[in-house]
mmCIF file of all heavy atoms in Angstrom:
data_model
loop_
_atom_site.group_PDB
_atom_site.id
_atom_site.type_symbol
_atom_site.label_atom_id
_atom_site.label_comp_id
_atom_site.label_asym_id
_atom_site.label_seq_id
_atom_site.Cartn_x
_atom_site.Cartn_y
_atom_site.Cartn_z
ATOM 1 N N LEU A 140 11.817 35.564 65.527
ATOM 2 C CA LEU A 140 12.402 36.786 65.611
ATOM 3 C C LEU A 140 12.776 37.261 64.268
ATOM 4 O O LEU A 140 12.647 38.612 64.023
ATOM 5 C CB LEU A 140 13.534 36.797 66.550
ATOM 6 C CG LEU A 140 13.418 36.465 68.076
ATOM 7 C CD1 LEU A 140 14.725 36.315 68.817
ATOM 8 C CD2 LEU A 140 12.583 37.634 68.587
ATOM 9 N N ASP A 141 13.221 36.498 63.373
ATOM 10 C CA ASP A 141 13.649 36.825 62.084
ATOM 11 C C ASP A 141 12.391 37.448 61.324
ATOM 12 O O ASP A 141 12.441 38.508 60.722
ATOM 13 C CB ASP A 141 14.164 35.694 61.270
ATOM 14 C CG ASP A 141 14.518 35.992 59.787
ATOM 15 O OD1 ASP A 141 15.476 36.704 59.600
ATOM 16 O OD2 ASP A 141 13.677 35.538 58.948
ATOM 17 N N ARG A 142 11.287 36.771 61.455
ATOM 18 C CA ARG A 142 10.128 37.245 60.757
ATOM 19 C C ARG A 142 9.452 38.432 61.395
ATOM 20 O O ARG A 142 8.865 39.302 60.729
ATOM 21 C CB ARG A 142 9.093 36.127 60.675
ATOM 22 C CG ARG A 142 9.497 34.916 59.902
ATOM 23 C CD ARG A 142 8.589 33.808 59.727
ATOM 24 N NE ARG A 142 9.014 32.834 58.817
ATOM 25 C CZ ARG A 142 8.310 31.681 58.550
ATOM 26 N NH1 ARG A 142 7.287 31.438 59.121
ATOM 27 N NH2 ARG A 142 8.824 30.819 57.611
ATOM 28 N N TYR A 143 9.646 38.556 62.734
ATOM 29 C CA TYR A 143 9.274 39.749 63.433
ATOM 30 C C TYR A 143 9.996 41.027 62.971
ATOM 31 O O TYR A 143 9.334 41.976 62.652
ATOM 32 C CB TYR A 143 9.509 39.559 64.904
ATOM 33 C CG TYR A 143 9.273 40.803 65.726
ATOM 34 C CD1 TYR A 143 7.919 41.290 66.058
ATOM 35 C CD2 TYR A 143 10.310 41.623 66.164
ATOM 36 C CE1 TYR A 143 7.818 42.379 66.813
ATOM 37 C CE2 TYR A 143 10.167 42.726 66.940
ATOM 38 C CZ TYR A 143 8.824 43.184 67.325
ATOM 39 O OH TYR A 143 8.753 44.290 68.002
ATOM 40 N N ILE A 144 11.331 40.879 62.768
ATOM 41 C CA ILE A 144 12.097 41.995 62.224
ATOM 42 C C ILE A 144 11.788 42.306 60.843
ATOM 43 O O ILE A 144 11.593 43.534 60.440
ATOM 44 C CB ILE A 144 13.584 41.698 62.408
ATOM 45 C CG1 ILE A 144 13.930 41.586 63.838
ATOM 46 C CG2 ILE A 144 14.425 42.772 61.762
ATOM 47 C CD1 ILE A 144 15.413 41.129 64.071
ATOM 48 N N SER A 145 11.534 41.266 60.027
ATOM 49 C CA SER A 145 11.224 41.525 58.603
ATOM 50 C C SER A 145 9.911 42.290 58.346
ATOM 51 O O SER A 145 9.784 43.005 57.396
ATOM 52 C CB SER A 145 11.224 40.128 57.856
ATOM 53 O OG SER A 145 10.079 39.441 58.253
ATOM 54 N N ILE A 146 8.919 41.965 59.280
ATOM 55 C CA ILE A 146 7.654 42.676 59.153
ATOM 56 C C ILE A 146 7.506 43.946 59.865
ATOM 57 O O ILE A 146 6.661 44.796 59.492
ATOM 58 C CB ILE A 146 6.497 41.690 59.513
ATOM 59 C CG1 ILE A 146 5.098 42.129 58.936
ATOM 60 C CG2 ILE A 146 6.407 41.501 61.016
ATOM 61 C CD1 ILE A 146 4.045 41.151 59.204
ATOM 62 N N SER A 147 8.259 44.064 61.038
ATOM 63 C CA SER A 147 8.112 45.359 61.791
ATOM 64 C C SER A 147 9.077 46.389 61.315
ATOM 65 O O SER A 147 8.787 47.568 61.381
ATOM 66 C CB SER A 147 8.327 44.989 63.185
ATOM 67 O OG SER A 147 9.653 44.506 63.473
ATOM 68 N N ARG A 148 10.245 46.026 60.741
ATOM 69 C CA ARG A 148 11.319 46.939 60.327
ATOM 70 C C ARG A 148 11.881 46.456 58.955
ATOM 71 O O ARG A 148 12.972 46.130 58.842
ATOM 72 C CB ARG A 148 12.431 47.104 61.454
ATOM 73 C CG ARG A 148 11.846 47.406 62.718
ATOM 74 C CD ARG A 148 12.944 47.402 63.812
ATOM 75 N NE ARG A 148 13.881 48.480 63.695
ATOM 76 C CZ ARG A 148 14.807 48.861 64.489
ATOM 77 N NH1 ARG A 148 15.027 48.093 65.673
ATOM 78 N NH2 ARG A 148 15.595 49.830 64.441
ATOM 79 N N PRO A 149 11.092 46.506 57.975
ATOM 80 C CA PRO A 149 11.399 45.945 56.611
ATOM 81 C C PRO A 149 12.635 46.755 56.016
ATOM 82 O O PRO A 149 13.477 46.122 55.322
ATOM 83 C CB PRO A 149 10.176 46.031 55.761
ATOM 84 C CG PRO A 149 9.313 47.039 56.368
ATOM 85 C CD PRO A 149 9.574 47.010 57.973
ATOM 86 N N TYR A 152 15.875 45.648 57.714
ATOM 87 C CA TYR A 152 16.086 44.213 57.951
ATOM 88 C C TYR A 152 17.448 43.682 57.528
ATOM 89 O O TYR A 152 18.078 43.053 58.209
ATOM 90 C CB TYR A 152 15.019 43.452 57.178
ATOM 91 C CG TYR A 152 15.158 41.883 57.250
ATOM 92 C CD1 TYR A 152 14.896 41.176 58.340
ATOM 93 C CD2 TYR A 152 15.727 41.228 56.120
ATOM 94 C CE1 TYR A 152 15.029 39.817 58.411
ATOM 95 C CE2 TYR A 152 15.889 39.841 56.178
ATOM 96 C CZ TYR A 152 15.591 39.190 57.228
ATOM 97 O OH TYR A 152 15.819 37.804 57.297
ATOM 98 N N LEU A 155 20.106 44.767 59.967
ATOM 99 C CA LEU A 155 20.030 44.169 61.310
ATOM 100 C C LEU A 155 20.245 42.691 61.236
ATOM 101 O O LEU A 155 20.863 42.180 62.134
ATOM 102 C CB LEU A 155 18.582 44.432 61.878
ATOM 103 C CG LEU A 155 18.185 45.837 62.220
ATOM 104 C CD1 LEU A 155 16.701 45.990 62.633
ATOM 105 C CD2 LEU A 155 19.149 46.411 63.294
ATOM 106 N N MET A 156 19.795 41.990 60.138
ATOM 107 C CA MET A 156 19.903 40.558 60.228
ATOM 108 C C MET A 156 20.888 40.169 59.014
ATOM 109 O O MET A 156 20.594 39.899 57.933
ATOM 110 C CB MET A 156 18.588 39.899 59.833
ATOM 111 C CG MET A 156 18.564 38.434 60.099
ATOM 112 S SD MET A 156 19.017 37.903 61.678
ATOM 113 C CE MET A 156 17.612 38.433 62.658
#
Side-chain angles (χ1 to χ4, degrees):
L140 292 174
D141 174 76
R142 293 181 174 179
Y143 170 79
I144 295 173
S145 68
I146 196 172
S147 61
R148 307 174 71 175
Y152 174 76
L155 295 173
M156 192 58 67

